[in-house]
Amino acid sequence: MGTIIGALAGIAIGFALETNVGRKVKDFVRTNVKKGLDKGVSLAKKGWSMVKGWFGG
């Protein structure tokens, strides 16, 4: 009995993630993670150029 309920719950969750709300959540997470990574990369590049500047690079 428990496996049937588990299977139905899994299908329901999968279906919910494929609906509009699920897509919005996935897109929201994806864009925010990407923004964070881009910001980190640009900060790292700025820091690296500052360090190179200090050492006459």
Side-chain angles (χ1 to χ4, degrees), residues 4 6 9 12 15-17 23 41 48 56:
I4 295 170
F15 182 72
L17 286 175
R23 280 197 207 101
V41 167
W48 179 242

Side-chain angles (χ1 to χ4, degrees), residues 7-57:
L8 287 175
I11 292 168
I13 290 167
F15 182 72
L17 286 175
E18 289 307 312
T19 59
N20 286 336
V21 175
R23 280 197 207 101
K24 282 182 186 147
V25 169
K26 281 193 279 190
D27 290 347
F28 178 79
V29 169
R30 194 178 298 134
T31 53
N32 282 326
V33 168
K34 189 174 181 338
K35 276 182 200 164
L37 284 174
D38 289 348
K39 195 168 278 186
V41 167
S42 66
L43 281 174
K45 282 180 182 169
K46 275 183 195 161
W48 179 242
S49 55
M50 275 173 57
V51 168
K52 282 201 303 193
W54 290 335
F55 293 106

